[in-house]
């Protein structure tokens, strides 16, 4: 089974003045730490919510330093269960992001049958069966 795992990372950024600047620097910094080994990991802005359910920006700035919430997504192949996929993702990402806290947000099982079904049905109609060609001769 293949799984899509989303991991939240709290990335510290220094000497910033705005939230946008902090987010750009955090994404760049994370990309540098992950590449070239984990270039297949997608880096997105995270989302933060207050206890009341109000949305907050992904960066918190105090004294020109910021803590930025990022979501890192990766696909883990050939695992037996969702917990196994989350442990693999945390380990792979955590080895490259030293001293950055990580938390698994979600694990989604990827449906292999839907991708196979989309491609198979169309090809069968366009390509004749070999036995049918032989019988015609």
């Amino acid at each position: 089974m293949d799984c899509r795992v989303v991991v939240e990372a709290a990335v510290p950024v220094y000497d910033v003045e705005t939230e946008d600047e902090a987010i750009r620097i955090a994404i760049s910094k994370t990309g540098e730490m992950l590449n070239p080994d984990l270039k297949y990991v997608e880096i997105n802005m995270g989302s933060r919510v207050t206890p009341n359910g109000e949305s907050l920006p992904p960066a918190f700035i105090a004294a020109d330093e910021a803590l930025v919430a990022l979501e890192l997504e990766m696909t883990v192949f050939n695992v037996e269960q969702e917990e196994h996929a989350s442990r693999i993702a945390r380990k792979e990402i955590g080895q490259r992001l030293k001293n950055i806290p990580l938390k698994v947000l979600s694990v989604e099982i990827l449906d292999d049958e839907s991708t196979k079904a989309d491609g198979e049905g169309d090809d069968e109609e366009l390509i004749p069966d070999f036995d049918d060609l032989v019988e015609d001769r």
Side-chain angles (χ1 to χ4, degrees), residues 98-114:
K98 301 288 184 195
N99 299 321
I100 293 182
L102 301 174
K103 175 184 176 185
V104 176
L105 294 179
S106 68
V107 179
E108 174 187 350
I109 298 173
L110 299 177
D111 186 18
D112 293 334
E113 293 176 10
S114 67

Side-chain angles (χ1 to χ4, degrees), residues 26-51:
I27 290 172
S28 175
K29 177 180 175 180
T30 304
E32 287 175 8
M33 287 189 277
L34 291 174
N35 282 325
D37 296 331
L38 295 181
K39 61 183 173 187
Y40 49 84
V41 174
E42 295 177 27
I43 304 169
N44 300 309
M45 289 188 319
S47 59
R48 298 185 314 143
V49 181
T50 65

Side-chain angles (χ1 to χ4, degrees), residues 34-113:
L34 291 174
N35 282 325
D37 296 331
L38 295 181
K39 61 183 173 187
Y40 49 84
V41 174
E42 295 177 27
I43 304 169
N44 300 309
M45 289 188 319
S47 59
R48 298 185 314 143
V49 181
T50 65
N52 296 335
E54 295 177 35
S55 180
L56 294 173
F60 173 76
I61 299 176
D64 291 338
E65 294 186 7
L67 189 60
V68 180
L70 295 180
E71 291 181 0
L72 310 173
E73 296 182 31
M74 74 179 285
T75 302
V76 181
F77 299 97
N78 299 324
V79 293
E80 296 177 9
Q81 54 187 337
E82 292 178 25
E83 184 179 331
H84 186 214
S86 67
R87 281 188 270 138
I88 290 172
R90 271 187 64 124
K91 180 181 182 252
E92 289 296 317
I93 294 171
Q95 286 178 341
R96 275 97 180 158
L97 301 181
K98 301 288 184 195
N99 299 321
I100 293 182
L102 301 174
K103 175 184 176 185
V104 176
L105 294 179
S106 68
V107 179
E108 174 187 350
I109 298 173
L110 299 177
D111 186 18
D112 293 334
E113 293 176 10

